[in-house]
Amino acid sequence: MASIAPGRPQDVQNERGNPHWTSPPRADALDHIPGTDGWPVVGTTITQLADPIGFAERMAARYGPVYRTRSFGRRSVNLVGADANELVLFDRERNFSSEQGWGPVLNLLFPRGLMLLDFDMHRLDRRALSAAFKPEPMRNYCGLLNADIARGTQSWGAGPMAFYPAIKALTLETAATSFLGLPLGPEADRLNSAFVDMVQASIAPVRRPLPFTAMGKGVAGRRLMVAYFTQLLRKRRADPGQDMFSQFALATRDDGALLPEDLVVDHMIFLMMAAHDTITSSMTGLIWQLARHPEWQEKLRGEARAAAGGDARPLPFEALGQMVLTEMAFKEALRILPPVPATPRRALREFSFGGYRIPAGTGVGISAASIHADPAHWPDPARFDPLRFTAEEIAKRHKYAWVPFGGGAHMCLGLHFAYMQVKVLVHHILTRYEISAAPGYAPAWQAWPIPKPRDGLQVLLRPLL
Ligand code: HEM
């Protein structure tokens, strides 16, 4: 279905020294792609942000699996379907830049994170950082997560609660200890609030860091984080702990050299961003499904009790593999509400897809949310059915029909950490509480930039212990 025109990515460097830099094509170079420029000035931006999934569905239904939009002042092309996902994510021929896709959103606040690096630079740093996800460090994080999550969930108590803000606060606390090795307290609170400002700013419409704007606060937050992390890095290098920052601090390149200080700091800040809202959103999606499906809640509770040998005990690292149904339910929740609904790239050279020639420099988007709702791969797609993720069912499907963690070189580095954290959370929550929601309750979900329930997800907790 796809073919790439012969030729090398352009070797010209832009002013920032990126050897792969490719300028966007002239707007009329995309005239032959079906689609719309939307409204004068704003293009399709507002319609897309208001309802990204509905917009994508309408566009694909009207124009087909290759369509053009115009958001944030620029035309780009969206490719729909499992083959499109494979072409762009697997990127066998290194034709798509992640840095130039994500850069406009993330470069100001999260520069040099792994998603903001391409090809050889990316491969070198990803290899070095992968050491932090080997079994021994993972076992240590598991211990830290268990302690924080046991304490945090115990304090929730009985009665109605808004689940989303509670899990967001708990995830920030666990990040302080398992990522940074910091005790909870005013210092962790100060860092957390700087971090929240940065995340908020990354999607702010005003992109200049003017005083009193979200971007102004975000840039100030970044300054604070960089200064603090640089000091902390020196401490961790001298006296490493069990946290992920200590692992990053000691990570080495192939020649045995430690990564430069400023780069480790940038990688750590980026990782916190990549981990935080994704876990919060996906865990909220899972709890929503479990509140609606008490039969699955009971199955997962039984599995959690058996894996940990009882209620509200730490879930041992060795027992994670026994949480098979939990993993299937989590995968299904990620299918229904993928925390990263769409992935941007920029084409470094001309390519063809679905019969269209797409010029070098074009912004290209693929959508997990679209493929996850496609009845061709997922019969009755709105139905929560974890049994879609038995080994047999997985083997029958296109590999790129389920892409909540992306794929290829940039596939989520923290996915095993995510599974682990969610299993520890499910264990502590479900063995302590029964979760329900009012009959007929259906929260509205904000889709952009990361799915979250507009009312915080109103559930009822009934203590079991
Ligand atoms: C359910 C939770 C999560 C989801 C759905 C998720 C999703 C993703 C996706 C879709 C990408 C690839 C984006 C692209 O190709 O452009 C990605 C990359 C990444 N994620 Fe996750 N993520 C999750 C949790 C985490 C956690 C917990 C961590 C860290 C502990 C993490 C660290 C990263 C990093 C470092 C990258 C960049 C990898 C690279 O560019 O090589 N993520 N994630």
Side-chain angles (χ1 to χ4, degrees):
M1 194 161 177
S3 71
I4 303 285
R8 306 281 316 142
Q10 298 177 10
D11 283 333
V12 224
Q13 298 210 354
N14 81 324
E15 66 282 7
R16 290 167 51 238
N18 178 341
H20 305 290
W21 185 262
T22 311
S23 301
R26 286 168 41 147
D28 62 4
L30 296 180
D31 278 350
H32 61 292
I33 312 278
T36 175
D37 284 335
W39 298 93
V41 186
V42 295
T44 52
T45 316
I46 292 171
T47 339
Q48 249 174 306
L49 294 187
D51 175 18
I53 297 169
F55 176 81
E57 273 171 9
R58 289 193 301 277
M59 292 294 285
R62 178 154 182 201
Y63 299 109
V66 179
Y67 65 85
R68 166 172 54 75
T69 55
R70 186 168 66 94
S71 51
F72 296 106
R74 188 160 287 164
R75 280 177 153 188
S76 59
V77 171
N78 299 274
L79 308 181
V80 180
D83 287 342
N85 296 346
E86 181 164 8
L87 173 77
V88 174
L89 293 174
F90 194 60
D91 193 19
R92 211 173 262 109
E93 305 194 20
R94 299 182 158 202
N95 289 306
F96 298 101
S97 165
S98 180
E99 177 191 343
Q100 291 171 53
W102 284 108
V105 187
L106 296 177
N107 246 342
L108 261 175
L109 294 149
F110 300 97
R112 297 198 296 178
L114 281 181
M115 258 154 59
L116 282 305
L117 296 175
D118 283 326
F119 312 126
D120 292 344
M121 271 300 293
H122 168 260
R123 194 174 46 83
L124 279 177
D125 281 14
R126 182 164 167 126
R127 230 178 24 222
L129 300 183
S130 296
F133 297 91
K134 294 224 160 92
E136 210 34 52
M138 288 285 277
R139 180 191 315 268
N140 293 333
Y141 312 146
C142 189
L144 296 169
L145 288 174
N146 265 293
D148 281 346
I149 292 171
R151 189 194 32 73
T153 51
Q154 202 170 8
S155 71
W156 285 352
M161 89 181 290
F163 185 81
Y164 180 81
I167 196 74
K168 194 167 172 68
L170 181 56
T171 309
L172 272 176
E173 285 173 20
T174 57
T177 44
S178 60
F179 289 167
L180 302 177
L182 294 176
L184 298 177
E187 199 164 58
D189 289 349
R190 204 162 55 95
L191 277 177
N192 281 342
S193 109
F195 173 71
V196 169
D197 287 345
M198 287 175 71
V199 174
Q200 211 47 42
S202 62
I203 50 152
V206 178
R207 304 306 291 168
R208 292 185 54 204
L210 302 171
F212 310 114
T213 59
M215 187 56 88
K217 279 170 86 177
V219 166
R222 176 173 165 79
R223 221 175 290 125
L224 186 147
M225 298 267 284
V226 169
Y228 187 90
F229 277 34
T230 307
Q231 296 305 316
L232 189 63
L233 172 62
R234 292 175 188 157
K235 281 194 206 153
R236 294 287 180 264
R237 280 194 166 153
D239 183 16
Q242 297 194 330
D243 55 279
M244 196 176 288
F245 199 36
S246 293
Q247 293 294 324
F248 277 23
L250 301 179
T252 52
R253 291 251 168 82
D254 290 354
D255 61 3
L258 290 170
L259 269 59
E261 271 187 357
D262 56 343
L263 190 56
V264 177
V265 166
D266 279 346
H267 278 311
M268 193 65 219
I269 294 177
F270 174 84
L271 179 127
M272 287 183 61
M273 186 275 296
H276 178 60
D277 278 321
T278 49
I279 290 273
T280 306
S281 170
S282 56
M283 192 59 206
T284 306
L286 176 59
I287 288 295
W288 165 227
Q289 296 299 345
L290 296 178
R292 301 168 74 191
H293 296 277
E295 73 289 1
W296 272 100
Q297 195 179 138
E298 203 41 50
K299 283 183 195 163
L300 267 49
R301 184 172 292 117
E303 179 176 84
R305 282 187 178 131
D311 289 339
R313 299 157 64 113
L315 178 68
F317 182 69
E318 290 67 28
L320 293 173
Q322 294 172 39
M323 304 276 279
V324 178
L325 296 176
T326 306
E327 189 160 319
M328 284 162 57
F330 181 46
K331 286 178 170 166
E332 176 67 340
L334 285 168
R335 180 188 70 79
I336 292 174
L337 276 173
V340 184
T343 299
R345 294 287 190 262
R346 190 182 291 171
L348 297 179
R349 47 184 151 151
E350 182 182 298
F351 71 102
S352 298
F353 182 79
Y356 294 99
R357 191 186 42 73
I358 298 162
T362 303
V364 174
I366 55 138
S367 163
S370 297
I371 191 82
H372 290 185
D374 183 345
H377 299 283
W378 311 99
D380 193 3
R383 185 166 54 90
F384 175 73
D385 179 9
L387 296 178
R388 299 183 204 263
F389 290 92
T390 59
E392 302 76 64
E393 290 300 314
I394 291 174
K396 287 187 211 156
R397 263 192 310 266
H398 193 303
K399 231 179 134 208
Y400 284 81
W402 185 76
V403 285
F405 294 109
H410 287 278
M411 178 141 171
C412 179
L413 183 60
L415 76 95
H416 294 297
F417 189 97
Y419 284 129
M420 175 168 79
Q421 181 158 0
V422 165
K423 287 175 181 179
V424 175
L425 279 163
V426 163
H427 167 69
H428 286 280
I429 295 173
L430 293 192
T431 59
R432 280 195 167 84
Y433 303 103
E434 186 186 80
I435 301 182
S436 58
Y441 169 65
W445 289 78
Q446 173 191 304
W448 168 262
I450 279 195
K452 71 172 190 187
R454 289 188 194 279
D455 66 354
L457 190 70
Q458 301 299 318
V459 292
L460 195 69
L461 298 192
R462 185 173 74 81
L464 297 172
L465 297 178

